[in-house]
Amino acid sequence: MHPLIFREILSVTMILFAIIDILGAIPVIIQVRQRVGHIESEKASLAVLVLMVVFLFVGDELLGVIGLDISSFAIAGSLVIFIIAMEMVLGVDFFKEEIPQSASIVPLAFPLIAGAGTMTTLLSLKSQYQTQNIIVGIVINTLFVYLVLKNVKWIERLLGPVGLSILRKSFGIILLAIAIKLFRSNTHL
């Protein structure tokens, strides 16, 4: 087994943090909580962890079944990440999602937190980083997701609407750079 590499863990953690965008999702989480009254942060966080780890290991086989390689998926993923980043920076919704009527695992864990962008990113990361470092990054992000879900009311008051907007746009710029890096490294440009 390869040793844990701090630089890889840090990179993976930052990339997943930007793509999961739990801070940017706070307004949606608040809206869901207002509709249903309570969010089960433990259940949602555990589901996020399981979804990401399982997809990290099964994603390759799933791609093999449909005849795709990691590089092709990573290039497609970089385009999805690019569009998500443009949404964050420009404040425009390219992907339309309906807010569900209940705050169960389905709306929070998937697709809000561990959605298509996160799954695509995991397979893209697998082409560049060691698996154990990705798992550590997943665990760190899941802990952060749990903390945010548990303290969403306090965070909302602390940052205010302007602070949340600045945070979302800042992570959008980081995601744009990540998307371009993934595209370049998998197309060898």
Side-chain angles (χ1 to χ4, degrees), residues 53-110:
V53 170
V54 167
F55 195 80
L56 179 66
F57 288 104
V58 180
D60 286 335
E61 288 75 25
L62 181 63
L63 289 178
V65 168
I66 56 178
L68 294 175
D69 60 32
I70 295 271
S71 290
S72 299
F73 198 75
I75 292 167
S78 72
L79 296 175
V80 171
I81 294 168
F82 183 84
I83 292 169
I84 291 169
M86 292 302 290
E87 283 185 333
M88 293 168 68
V89 171
L90 300 175
V92 177
D93 288 332
F94 295 110
F95 298 110
K96 306 291 184 203
E97 295 184 37
E98 293 181 19
I99 301 293
Q101 296 301 316
S102 66
S104 63
I105 291 171
V106 173
L108 287 180
F110 183 83

Side-chain angles (χ1 to χ4, degrees), residues 14-22 80-81 84 88 113 117-118 121 175 178:
M14 294 300 293
I15 291 168
L16 286 175
F17 183 77
I19 193 68
I20 290 171
D21 188 29
I22 189 65
V80 171
I81 294 168
I84 291 169
M88 293 168 68
I113 298 167
T118 303
T121 301
L175 268 184
I178 291 167

